[in-house]
Amino acid sequence: MRHFGHIAPSARAGLFHREPCEFTADSPARVLAAALGATLYSPATRPHLADDVLKQVGRGVVSMVLCLEDSIDDAEVEGAEENLVRQLTDLHERGADTPLLFIRVREPAQIHDLVRRLGAAGRLLSGFVLPKFTEERGAAFLEALTDTETDTGRRLFAMPVLESPELLHMETRAETLTGIGRVIDKYRERVLALRLGVTDFCSAYGLRRSPDMTAYDVQIVASVIGDVVNVLGRSDGTGFTITGPVWEYFRLGERMFKPQLRRSPFMEQRADELRTALIEHDLDGLLREIELDRANGLMGKTCIHPSHVMPVHALSVVSHEEFSDAQDILRPERGGGGVLRSAYTNKMNEVKPHRAWAERTLQRAEVFGVAKEDVGFVELLTAGMGL
């Protein structure tokens, strides 16, 4: 699989200076963590789940979570497990290409039980999403995952969800983050990425952001994101990939604020048309939040609607200017540091302070590609959406 692999090779050639790389479920964890992109969640109760998964592959989805937790009623769990086993077995028998598939479980015991019930179809799984993760609760999940991996001989990744009240509350936040850091460091090779449960954060205070507001406009949520990145997302080799929060889409009868979507990325042909369509679907806030995710050290995003996937991926492609700056900063002869003017002659590149940014940018360039010099967000989005 590869990002933008669902569009014709000739179209990709016209968009990319350097095309996204190919990867598989067996690729190194470093590659997979960066490649998750827009991870689409789907309730495990869906009656045509196998067909849904294949349909999303055709739309450019490369990672999905099949959810047995908050997206379904407590009374539906047993039936959802049975449906999940049946649908994944169907997918395996078809032999079709699938995205990276993860199951969001409720309890540690479900991990071994589901893998056992899936049998050969368990090969479709890349791992499990672990909800309401704390040091104590998380250790049990990670032990269950490791034991299952040992029993089956198959690599399984964990994606803990940071969403517990202890993480939100100021008096317990530092201790909770330190404890989470201890347990995930112990299982570092198994932890693919950390996910942020912003909906649960808001719930603790009876809040819900509108489509006109990003997670960063809700100060209590923004403070938690900042602290999570501070402790668990450092670029010194101790950090983990942290993914962006879910975007909750719902329509408002009347927009309270002027659209946030800037006109500057939309100057290309058909740009006004596309901009209008995005604003009408309340996606302008999503685009702003994606950019803020990256500015705050997050990579990828949790999505609950297929229409959110391509905006995430289009904004994840590295621009030709970013790529040029990153390459200049990381040239071997620049190892001693210094300052240089960018090839685009519009900024200062300071080698030592910007090195970590450059390394992260080239990592993103590997999996999402580098756009041609005259290609922007609009061309990438319209091609990805088949418009």
Side-chain angles (χ1 to χ4, degrees), residues 134-167:
T134 60
E135 181 177 19
E136 181 179 351
R137 181 173 166 84
F141 274 113
L142 289 168
E143 287 170 9
L145 181 119
T146 302
D147 290 344
T148 302
E149 185 182 65
T150 300
D151 290 346
T152 61
R154 293 199 297 272
R155 183 177 70 169
L156 293 170
F157 286 113
M159 291 202 290
V161 185
L162 310 186
E163 56 186 346
S164 65
E166 297 94 329
L167 187 60

Side-chain angles (χ1 to χ4, degrees), residues 162-181 184 194-196 198 201 205 215-216 218-235 238-243 292-293 295-298:
L162 310 186
E163 56 186 346
S164 65
E166 297 94 329
L167 187 60
L168 185 64
H169 298 154
M170 182 62 73
E171 66 272 21
T172 54
R173 185 180 303 172
E175 181 182 351
T176 301
L177 278 171
T178 302
I180 290 171
I184 61 177
L194 305 177
R195 312 200 73 88
L196 291 166
V198 164
F201 291 158
Y205 288 88
Y216 303 93
V218 183
Q219 291 301 303
I220 196 165
V221 170
S223 72
V224 180
I225 294 175
D227 287 344
V228 169
V229 174
N230 189 328
V231 177
L232 303 176
R234 298 176 187 178
S235 61
T238 66
F240 295 81
T241 295
I242 303 170
T243 64
L292 288 170
D293 286 341
N296 284 277
L298 310 184

Side-chain angles (χ1 to χ4, degrees), residues 109-140:
Q110 287 179 298
I111 293 174
H112 189 276
D113 181 58
L114 286 168
V115 172
R116 177 188 60 80
R117 290 162 65 181
L118 282 166
R123 294 188 180 88
L124 296 178
L125 290 182
S126 290
F128 292 84
V129 174
L130 315 179
K132 299 171 179 60
F133 195 92
T134 60
E135 181 177 19
E136 181 179 351
R137 181 173 166 84

Side-chain angles (χ1 to χ4, degrees), residues 10-55:
S10 59
R12 283 202 309 273
L15 293 170
F16 290 97
H17 168 72
R18 179 173 293 186
E19 290 194 20
C21 71
E22 291 186 336
F23 58 93
T24 71
D26 296 321
S27 293
R30 173 191 65 82
V31 173
L32 296 183
L36 287 168
T39 301
L40 184 63
Y41 274 56
S42 177
T45 51
R46 292 181 68 88
H48 304 291
L49 187 59
D51 292 333
D52 294 340
V53 169
L54 297 182
K55 184 178 182 179

Side-chain angles (χ1 to χ4, degrees), residues 312-358:
V312 173
H313 291 174
L315 282 175
S316 297
V317 174
V318 173
S319 71
H320 189 273
E321 182 174 345
E322 289 176 307
F323 184 64
S324 172
D325 289 339
Q327 282 194 312
D328 283 349
I329 290 166
L330 295 176
R331 290 188 192 285
E333 62 268 26
R334 303 289 183 188
V339 177
L340 57 150
R341 186 173 64 172
S342 73
Y344 276 70
T345 68
N346 61 355
K347 72 177 72 66
M348 173 192 74
N349 287 328
E350 197 167 351
V351 174
K352 288 183 178 178
H354 290 146
R355 185 174 188 84
W357 169 85

Side-chain angles (χ1 to χ4, degrees), residues 260-328:
Q260 301 167 16
L261 196 56
R262 297 168 298 174
R263 285 189 175 272
S264 54
F266 293 87
M267 300 304 291
E268 299 90 341
Q269 188 178 7
R270 299 177 65 197
D272 286 338
E273 213 176 298
L274 179 60
R275 180 178 181 275
T276 300
L278 291 172
I279 289 173
E280 286 176 352
H281 287 84
D282 287 318
L283 292 183
D284 52 317
L286 168 63
L287 301 188
R288 182 166 177 262
E289 185 167 287
I290 295 166
E291 295 218 15
L292 288 170
D293 286 341
R294 190 158 72 245
N296 284 277
L298 310 184
M299 184 181 293
K301 199 164 188 66
T302 295
C303 293
I304 55 170
H305 195 276
S307 66
H308 300 165
V309 172
M310 285 317 302
V312 173
H313 291 174
L315 282 175
S316 297
V317 174
V318 173
S319 71
H320 189 273
E321 182 174 345
E322 289 176 307
F323 184 64
S324 172
D325 289 339
Q327 282 194 312
D328 283 349

